[in-house]
Every structure is written in structure tokens, then in C-alpha cells.
Amino acid sequence: MAIPVSAQWQLIADGAPWDWEPGGVADSTLALEQRVMRMFHQEGYLYASVDSQAADTQTLYVSPGHRAQVGIIQLLGSSREDSAQIMLPLHEGDWLTARSLERAAEVILDYYSDEGYVLAEVEIEALIPRDSIRHDVIIRVREGNPAHLEGVVLQGARRTRQTYIYHAAGFVPGQVLKNFDPEEMQRKLEATGIFSRVDLPMLYKGTDSSVVIHVPVKESPPGAFDLALGYERTEGGTGALVGSGSLTLRNLFGQARTLELTLNRAPGQLGYVLVRAESPLVFGLPLSFAVSFEGLQQDSTYGKRDYGAQFGYWVDPSMRIFTSVTREITRPGLAGAATISGRPRIPVANALFVGGGVQIQQVDHALSPTRGYRLSMHAEHGQKDVEHMADAAYEQGRLRQSRLTAQGRVYLPLGRRSLVVTGGELRLVRSRQLDESDLFRIGGAQSLRGYDEQRFRVPFAVRALLEFRYLLDPVTYGFVFSDLGYLDRDSGSQFVGAWYPGFGAGFQLNTAAGIINFTLAFAPEDVSAVRAHIGLSLGL
């Protein structure tokens, strides 16, 4: 007798109703019985049987019998001596269910995958009755050979080369693929910032015993134009627009090389330009190289030019150590040549610095991390040759100078859509004698957001940050923050060394054209003077 598709049958096992979810109803009584038996077998009732059925009341009567338990577990086909250390989630006396057997097979496969046997196969070969309840479980392993990595295929990528992907993911061509974690590889590729989308990598069998990793990706635009603007109130009560713009070409020639040009218009007729080129890999080796030029002109006070080179070594894809060489040339303008207490405000100077540092990054997303951390430190030491006019004659001197900069960020998720960002910065310069050109410029969108752009010039600054973010999507979020900085007193400054707190709120919005960032910030010393900062990042 055919059973209507919409029929819902009641199940009676040992005289009591049995809850079950038949899902799609079968087309015949025989198929329905098979579905019922499959359900009981999966739950460990291996000897269950259908006693009878009542079509008029749509009832099946079943005798489930004894529920099976696990007896002895045997693993056959394994040649590895340490296979006995596999921590199976299946023990003697456990209920023998389909899910417990599947989980045991998954654990065995994970073990062999971690050892490089990613093509291994596992099957439950037999269940042998030991008595009316216990059944020995025979598991067969077909190890195959250790799988060597034949290549990585980026589906959807046009520019990115395989050599850089090997570096970013921490792979070596031809290596035995041990401990392969698709989610970890996905996270590492997302953290490079050269992809706007990275799907979960998948393994495919290559030639012989090799495997190929396929990763569907979407590359980010080859360039970006970033514009950062700020609106501040001047002493006369009017407003002033300050800001900077940068053009960055990234992933040049498919090796994540970058070329950056930055122009900055700051208050006080201050002009700044930066040109920097960096290659994260040199000849496919775990070596990096960067060169840079920085130019700064402070009205008629002084001009400064910095030429730098940096050489790095990748300890692993997330950690790089580097050395640096910097040549600095400082020339005073008309205002800088004026003497103060018998000395020029800004002397003619040529300096050479040699240094080193480290960069560490473990985040889940380049643009908007939700977990992980970023740390960097750069220490330099060098000498500065100065000359100036004194008593109608030139005097020369040599100063030893040391500099230290450090920065850290920690991203702590609080829930699915919220996180806390905390961290800080440290800037320090030490020398027997310092002038205005040696000091750090603090304040504004990149440091203390509640204060005017580059308001402070100090030899020492430390800042702590606490920010709460609520995510609307992986890149779009709203935030509130608190900054707290301590700035050291300098004899040439017009402020007292003290703590400088700041507060504010804002949002970051991901649009089809690019990313928009807006911040409103203020300081307790003048709550009415709100600083507005707008950032635009447009893909090219």
C-alpha cells in the first residue's frame, strides 16, 4: 500500500512512543521501514526490527533490542609506530553510534593529515559481535604516501605570483604538507592586504602523491589614493583645513611590492613629502629591502632631508627583523639661523644613523582586524655633525644621538560583532644637545586625536589607547575611544610636560568607491574645541 507523501507515522518502540524526525517520507511501506531501521542502527540499536504496522492509524511498532556498546578497537593498515598515540573519542563501553564512529574516523584522518598523509582514507571495516551487547570495531586505514605540495592555484588572481603566496602562507615548494589548516591559510592571505576576498582553500590531488591547494580569491585594486583631512580652530577663532594625501601602488609585479608617495599640508606652513619603495621578497628569498626619501620644510625655520634604506629577514611569515641606515641633512632658514643664547636656533647638521628593529603581525584581517596583535620596534644610534657661527667664526661639533620608536596593538573580540582595541606608542630621542629639528611632532589624527595636528614637539612621548568597536560588516564599524598621552617637557617648548587625555567617537564605512573614516575628538582642556578628522581610501 502506498503511503501519501504528507503522511506522518507514529513510532511505538517497546510499547512507548518514540520521538523521531522522518524528514522526507518514503514512497512505500518498505522504504519507510528502511528509514526507521537506519535511524535505530545509527543510534546503536543494531538488532532493531519492525514488528507490525497499522496503516489506518499510521503507526509502526518496533522492537529496538539491546543498545550496542563498543568492545575492542583495532586499527589495521597503519605502519606508523606512533599511531597508538591517537586520542580516539571512542572507548570500550561507549555507545556504538554512527556519530561516534564518524568522529573516530575524523580524528584518525586529522592525525594522518597532520603527519603529511593528506590523501589517507579511513573506513569502518567491520563490527564484530563479542556478545549480545559489545561489538569489536575494526577500522581500516589506507595511508598512501606522504603528500608533497605541488603548487598553489589562486583562482581569480591575475597579478599575484605563487612565490609570494608560498611566503605569506609559510610553505616551501615540494614540502610534505603537514599540519595543513585551511582556515589558518585563509587568515594569513587575508592579512596580506592584497586580496579583498579569500575563500577557504581546498586540497586537490596532483600528480603521483602530490597535492595542489586551490584558493578562490579576489585581488584588491592595484593602487589606492588615501586622503586624510582635519578641521581645526585657529587662534583667531576661524577654521583651518589640514591634511595629507598619499598614492600607493601595491602588489607590483605580483610580489606585493609597494611604491608610496605622501604629501602633507600641516599647520604653520609645514610641508612634508615621503617617497618609499619596498619589496617584501628579494629574488624569492625571505629577505626584504626598502628605500625611502623624506623631505620636511618648516616655513623659513629649517628644511630637512632624510635618505633611508632598510634590509630585513623574515623569521617566519608573521615576524621580520631588520637593520636600517639613515642619512639626514638639516639646513636652517632665515628664522632658524637666528641665535638664541649665543647659539643658532637650528644649526647646519649632517647625521648618520644605524639601527635595527622587529615587526610582528598576527591578525585575521589587514584592513579591519577583529583578533590578534601587531607589534613593531625600531632603535637607532648615530652621530650628528653640527656647525654654526660663533664670534664671527664657524664652530663644529659632533653629537651622539639615540632614537627609539615602538608601537603595539591588540585586538580582543568580545562577541560576534564587538571588540576592544588596546595598545600604545613610545617615542624617545636622547642626546647631549637637541634642537627643534630633532623633536617628535605629536598630536592630531595619527597620535593624540583630541589635540591639534602636530601641536607638540617633544623628545619623549608615550601614548595609551583604548577603543571599543561595533561591527556592521567585516570592514564597517562604529567606535568610541580614549587616548592618554604623557609628553616630556622640553626647554624650547611652550607647554609643561604632563598627561594629555583625549576622547571621541566615529565610524568607518566600506563603500563601493572605497573606505571612509570619520572621527570627532576633543580634549578636556577645551571641550568646545572639537577636532574633526576625515579619511578616504579610494581604490584605483
Side-chain angles (χ1 to χ4, degrees), residues 310-502:
Q310 195 177 98
F311 307 87
Y313 170 74
W314 294 96
V315 179
D316 59 47
S318 63
M319 179 178 180
R320 183 172 71 98
I321 57 176
F322 62 88
T323 61
S324 64
V325 178
T326 305
R327 178 70 171 175
E328 295 184 354
I329 300 172
T330 306
R331 296 293 182 265
L334 292 177
T339 59
I340 300 176
S341 301
R343 292 181 175 275
R345 179 179 173 185
I346 305 293
V348 174
N350 298 293
L352 180 65
F353 291 89
V354 177
V358 60
Q359 292 178 334
I360 303 174
Q361 176 172 287
Q362 284 277 13
V363 295
D364 60 351
H365 196 280
L367 295 177
S368 181
T370 60
R371 65 180 67 243
Y373 56 89
R374 287 173 170 155
L375 302 172
S376 64
M377 186 274 291
H378 187 196
E380 296 177 284
H381 182 76
Q383 62 183 29
K384 180 178 180 181
D385 296 324
V386 299
E387 59 182 49
H388 55 85
M389 179 72 72
D391 298 328
Y394 275 104
E395 292 186 0
Q396 296 181 340
R398 174 166 293 179
L399 301 172
R400 296 288 182 181
Q401 196 169 100
S402 298
R403 299 186 297 208
L404 174 66
T405 58
Q407 184 180 73
R409 291 288 185 275
V410 179
Y411 304 88
L412 302 171
L414 298 180
R416 184 178 178 182
R417 290 186 173 273
S418 60
L419 71 147
V420 167
V421 182
T422 184
E425 293 96 31
L426 169 69
R427 300 184 186 185
L428 172 67
V429 58
R430 284 291 179 262
S431 180
R432 176 170 50 87
Q433 180 180 320
L434 296 172
D435 59 65
E436 186 179 335
S437 66
D438 298 318
L439 304 180
F440 295 110
R441 297 170 179 268
I442 305 296
Q446 302 302 319
S447 51
L448 294 177
R449 287 175 281 185
Y451 299 85
D452 291 340
E453 198 74 25
Q454 300 188 13
R455 169 182 169 181
F456 309 110
R457 300 175 188 180
V458 296
F460 173 76
V462 62
R463 171 202 179 203
L465 165 69
L466 182 64
E467 184 172 300
F468 173 80
R469 297 179 181 177
Y470 183 80
L471 303 176
L472 299 178
D473 65 39
V475 181
T476 300
Y477 58 84
F479 63 90
V480 293
F481 72 88
S482 173
D483 285 330
L484 179 62
Y486 180 80
L487 308 180
D488 193 19
R489 173 187 295 196
D490 177 68
S491 58
S493 300
Q494 298 179 353
F495 72 95
V496 177
W499 294 96
Y500 291 84

Side-chain angles (χ1 to χ4, degrees), residues 5 8-9 30 37 55 84 135 141 165 192-193 196 201 264 267 294 382 401-403 410 415 508 511 526:
V5 174
Q8 297 295 325
W9 282 66
L30 180 60
M37 289 302 96
H135 290 67
V141 178
I165 298 305
T192 64
S196 60
N264 186 11
E294 293 183 70
Q401 196 169 100
S402 298
R403 299 186 297 208
V410 179
Q508 178 171 287
T511 69
D526 186 359

Side-chain angles (χ1 to χ4, degrees), residues 55-342:
D56 55 342
T57 59
Q58 295 182 344
T59 304
L60 285 177
Y61 296 91
V62 178
S63 295
H66 294 293
R67 195 177 189 186
Q69 294 181 345
V70 177
I72 297 175
I73 303 171
Q74 297 186 42
L75 188 62
L76 305 181
S78 176
S79 63
R80 298 190 58 80
E81 296 179 357
D82 55 354
S83 62
Q85 304 300 319
I86 302 177
M87 303 298 293
L88 288 176
L90 195 64
H91 306 90
E92 187 172 352
D94 290 348
W95 298 122
L96 188 58
T97 66
R99 180 54 191 154
S100 65
L101 294 176
E102 291 172 2
R103 181 57 185 149
E106 290 172 359
V107 169
I108 296 172
L109 281 175
D110 289 343
Y111 166 79
Y112 277 93
S113 177
D114 291 345
E115 294 300 317
Y117 294 83
V118 296
L119 300 177
E121 298 177 354
V122 176
E123 68 173 350
I124 308 300
E125 185 170 279
L127 300 177
I128 302 176
R130 172 179 288 266
D131 51 41
S132 61
I133 296 178
R134 294 179 182 268
H135 290 67
D136 294 342
V137 180
I138 310 300
I139 303 176
R140 173 72 62 176
V141 178
R142 295 180 179 87
E143 296 177 341
N145 297 316
H148 295 266
L149 182 58
E150 182 177 319
V152 178
V153 177
L154 296 179
Q155 299 171 334
R158 296 183 178 181
R159 302 186 306 273
T160 309
R161 296 188 179 182
Q162 195 174 98
T163 52
Y164 178 72
I165 298 305
Y166 275 118
H167 161 73
F171 294 145
V172 177
Q175 74 175 85
V176 174
L177 195 61
K178 293 185 176 182
N179 301 308
F180 176 64
D181 186 342
E183 294 182 353
E184 177 70 7
M185 182 179 181
Q186 181 185 33
R187 183 195 64 77
K188 288 181 178 180
L189 296 185
E190 287 178 338
T192 64
I194 63 176
F195 302 107
S196 60
R197 192 197 79 243
V198 180
D199 292 340
L200 197 66
M202 299 184 66
L203 286 178
Y204 289 87
K205 187 173 181 180
T207 58
D208 298 327
S209 61
S210 64
V211 292
V212 178
I213 302 175
H214 287 243
V215 191
V217 300
K218 181 180 179 181
E219 291 176 316
S220 297
F225 176 72
D226 295 328
L227 182 64
L229 299 176
Y231 184 82
E232 300 174 355
R233 192 176 62 184
T234 60
E235 293 181 0
T238 61
L241 187 67
V242 298
S244 65
S246 66
L247 175 64
T248 304
L249 300 179
R250 54 196 177 199
N251 202 16
L252 296 176
F253 309 108
Q255 296 282 14
R257 299 183 181 99
T258 59
L259 178 62
E260 177 184 0
L261 170 64
T262 299
L263 300 175
N264 186 11
R265 180 189 181 277
Q269 298 182 1
L270 175 67
Y272 172 81
V273 60
L274 166 67
V275 180
R276 190 173 192 274
E278 180 178 9
S279 176
L281 294 179
V282 179
F283 303 118
L285 300 174
L287 305 174
S288 66
F289 176 67
V291 292
S292 63
F293 166 77
E294 293 183 70
L296 185 147
Q297 182 65 46
Q298 173 66 62
D299 48 59
S300 62
T301 306
Y302 71 94
K304 189 174 183 180
R305 304 189 303 275
D306 295 358
Y307 303 88
Q310 195 177 98
F311 307 87
Y313 170 74
W314 294 96
V315 179
D316 59 47
S318 63
M319 179 178 180
R320 183 172 71 98
I321 57 176
F322 62 88
T323 61
S324 64
V325 178
T326 305
R327 178 70 171 175
E328 295 184 354
I329 300 172
T330 306
R331 296 293 182 265
L334 292 177
T339 59
I340 300 176
S341 301

